[in-house]
Amino acid sequence: MEAEKASEALIKTVLKDYEGALRYCDNRYANYQKSYLCEKESLQSFVFPKLHYDSQGMGSRTKKDLGDVYLAFQKQRKVFQEELIAAMQRVAEQRELIHRIWLCFQGLPKEEYDILHALYVENIPYKAVEKKSNVSHRTFEKNRSSAIKRIQDVCNSDLPTSSLFCYAEQEEERRKEDKEVQLYQQMNLSEFLDGKKNTGKK
């Protein structure tokens, strides 16, 4: 079966509640695992009943019938166990995909990161985020769509998750540095304006 891809709908869901998405996967995995262990223990503890032959030799036929039932029962339980293992594998893959989506989001350029963060992490209305961006609707939507596509392209690529993690860390540090520089420049401008005001009062 083909692995699940990072659709736009899934990306939005993950950004809106990353920790909740991971918890959902963890709970599903735990339930499947519990069912698997119960099935395994039940099979191991099953004891085939002892049969006594009657005077007419009916015991042999009964034993064969029960044996067939037991073999069918075992086969059914084994298939169920295999289905549980497959389900746990799918959940593990989905959890990995959720983690990759979040790392790709963290690795976005600042402008695209800020748009998706405001829209989906902070859940601010579209119009309000668009207005704050000070760009046209066409440019804003282009930037938003570009951010989603960038996440999809990188997340669905063959890049190992470890590489995404390293890149996400670098981008996060770069955004912090840009924010500190911007704050410093704003403070300098504020001090300059305050200085002008004080000079005018003398």
Side-chain angles (χ1 to χ4, degrees), residues 3 31 39 50 62 65 79 117 129 134:
N31 288 333
E39 286 294 316
K50 290 183 179 180
T62 303
D65 291 344
V79 169
H117 192 279
V129 180
N134 293 320

Side-chain angles (χ1 to χ4, degrees), residues 100-116:
R100 286 175 67 86
I101 288 173
W102 187 255
L103 290 176
C104 290
F105 165 62
Q106 296 295 326
L108 287 175
K110 185 178 185 304
E111 184 179 14
E112 294 180 354
Y113 173 87
D114 288 344
I115 289 174
L116 295 193

Side-chain angles (χ1 to χ4, degrees), residues 78-96:
K78 187 176 180 181
V79 169
F80 184 51
Q81 282 185 316
E82 291 172 352
E83 290 174 349
L84 287 172
I85 291 172
M88 285 189 284
Q89 182 62 35
R90 287 195 297 271
V91 172
E93 290 172 356
Q94 188 176 42
R95 194 184 195 283
E96 178 72 8

